[in-house]
Amino acid sequence: MKKIAILTPGGDAPGMNACIRAVVRRSISSGMEVYGVMNGYQGLLDNNIFKMELRSVSGIINHGGTILKSSRCAEIKTDEGLSKAIATLKKYEIDYLVVIGGDGSIKAAEKISKFGISVIGIPASIDNDVYGTEETIGFDTAIDTAIEAVDKIRDTATSFDRVFIIEVMGREHGFLALEIGLASGAEFVFIPEFKFDLNKICEELKKDQQKKKTSVIMVFAEGCGDSRELAKKIFQCTGIDVKVSNLGYIQRGGNPSARSRNLASRFGSSAVDLILKDEKNKVVVLQECGIKAIPIEKVTSSEKNVSKDTLELIKKLAV
Ligand code: F6P
């Protein structure tokens, strides 16, 4: 009988619970034993691991966060931490480790795979920055959550003829900011992948005012630096008082959208199919509307790039 362990390290993403449910239910129904690891990789270091049953995952498909909890575990990046994690996995005679998380978590999983434990990665992150997959679990929900907030801010922007900078998450990538910008009809989107020219922005803002386009939404990805600093600089150059609103952690929470839940269920089930076929060290991904599996080394050694098309479309529509 195969034994699998499952964990959800790093930033929680809405839909992680739906994915845990799918992995647990499919693997137990296929005759495997499943262990839940608490607090991400930290649980492997602390021996915080428990046997899961079909009913352990009842009533969780609609909940954000993760029932297995999470943490940022710096120790797993050290040789000592890695050996402790391997020792726990060996103690429980785990054949497969299923890691539901972002790029950092998948990198740690790859290291574990070098010690003879087979791993399967499932991309889950609101940042959508995992190479090889068009979408990660939680991304769609985070966009919906953010645009609900941006729509509300737009009411004040319109009523007061104000310019707003709205800071969103995404770490050093702009995938989230771009989709939020497009969906909310933002006039400007700033992402770390493409440099922007402050003078040009100020000129465009002045022109907007002449065109009677007096309320403006600027979506600012956190990886671009300090949004308050940008607001100050725009004020110095144009005299326009720019308001700043940081959406923060609300983007990570809340009930998962139908799309995030269904992607999570499909990813989880496909991960179990891979285990049943004895496939090792793979990451399940969404490509051209289908679920595929690619080698974990491909995911960890490649960088996912944003396309300039979305940024250009946002500009074309903000005339
Ligand atoms: O990776 C998800 C994410 O929410 C990023 O967008 C953000 O930069 C980071 O996690 C915040 O991490 P923490 O929860 O450790 O503050």
Side-chain angles (χ1 to χ4, degrees):
M1 184 197 281
K2 275 186 188 133
K3 285 191 185 176
I4 75 165
I6 175 168
L7 75 173
T8 52
D12 52 293
M16 276 181 161
N17 282 328
C19 190
I20 296 168
R21 171 179 176 270
V23 173
V24 169
R25 295 231 164 130
R26 280 288 328 279
S27 35
I28 294 177
S29 307
S30 311
M32 294 188 256
E33 226 170 63
V34 188
Y35 289 83
V37 180
M38 295 303 290
N39 308 322
Y41 287 111
Q42 191 61 47
L44 288 180
L45 308 184
D46 301 340
N47 242 304
N48 197 350
I49 177 165
F50 70 102
K51 189 157 179 277
M52 297 185 84
E53 308 295 343
L54 290 173
R55 298 279 77 78
S56 312
V57 291
S58 297
I60 64 168
I61 194 168
N62 53 329
H63 291 285
T66 160
I67 57 158
L68 294 177
K69 298 190 175 254
S70 187
S71 64
R72 299 277 181 203
C73 176
E75 215 185 325
I76 194 68
K77 293 182 188 148
T78 66
D79 289 347
E80 206 195 333
L82 203 55
S83 328
K84 274 196 216 163
I86 304 294
T88 305
L89 290 165
K90 296 228 157 122
K91 181 176 147 197
Y92 284 86
E93 299 174 320
I94 300 299
D95 303 298
Y96 270 89
L97 180 66
V98 175
V99 176
I100 306 171
D103 58 342
S105 305
I106 292 175
K107 278 188 183 126
E110 194 209 353
K111 283 196 185 159
I112 289 174
S113 74
K114 308 277 184 228
F115 291 82
I117 311 275
S118 302
V119 301
I120 300 291
I122 303 183
S125 163
I126 64 160
D127 302 338
N128 200 25
D129 57 354
V130 178
Y131 176 85
T133 189
E134 284 153 19
E135 192 173 326
T136 50
I137 295 169
F139 182 56
D140 178 70
T141 309
I143 298 165
D144 280 351
T145 305
I147 61 166
E148 202 184 322
V150 177
D151 289 349
K152 287 178 178 155
I153 293 171
R154 174 102 48 197
D155 288 346
T156 299
T158 313
S159 306
F160 276 79
D161 288 336
R162 274 183 183 163
V163 177
F164 270 90
I165 294 179
I166 301 173
E167 184 174 326
V168 299
M169 282 186 166
R171 216 178 269 280
E172 62 268 17
H173 291 286
F175 300 102
L176 188 60
L178 282 175
E179 294 307 300
I180 294 168
L182 181 61
S184 60
E187 280 72 19
F188 296 85
V189 175
F190 303 110
I191 58 169
E193 290 88 344
F194 299 112
K195 292 223 168 345
F196 56 88
D197 176 348
L198 180 68
N199 291 327
K200 218 172 137 207
I201 305 292
C202 292
E203 282 314 307
E204 282 183 43
L205 270 178
K206 284 185 207 157
K207 275 192 208 142
D208 279 350
Q209 304 248 314
Q210 284 156 11
K211 283 192 286 183
K212 304 245 175 301
K213 193 171 176 50
T214 43
S215 75
V216 171
I217 296 292
M218 299 175 155
V219 174
F220 182 95
E222 63 175 351
C224 289
D226 188 341
S227 49
R228 293 192 180 274
E229 201 48 42
L230 176 63
K232 255 193 238 160
K233 285 184 180 156
I234 294 175
F235 177 70
Q236 282 158 5
C237 144
T238 60
I240 299 168
D241 179 22
V242 180
K243 302 288 178 193
V244 180
S245 194
N246 186 345
L247 298 190
Y249 287 91
I250 64 158
Q251 293 161 94
R252 235 160 70 177
N255 297 351
S257 65
R259 191 177 165 91
S260 288
R261 295 179 199 193
N262 293 348
L263 182 67
S265 299
R266 293 195 171 101
F267 272 175
S269 179
S270 298
V272 177
D273 286 338
L274 292 174
I275 298 172
L276 290 170
K277 284 188 270 172
D278 279 329
E279 292 203 31
K280 297 173 169 69
N281 311 331
K282 297 262 169 82
V283 176
V284 293
V285 293
L286 180 72
Q287 287 180 0
E288 291 163 2
C289 300
I291 311 289
K292 310 215 163 94
I294 57 175
I296 195 164
E297 307 84 54
K298 182 77 193 138
V299 174
T300 55
S301 62
S302 320
E303 188 69 21
K304 185 171 179 181
N305 294 318
V306 290
S307 130
K308 212 169 186 183
D309 297 356
T310 310
L311 198 57
E312 283 167 356
L313 176 59
I314 290 166
K315 283 317 289 172
K316 280 184 200 158
L317 300 179
V319 285

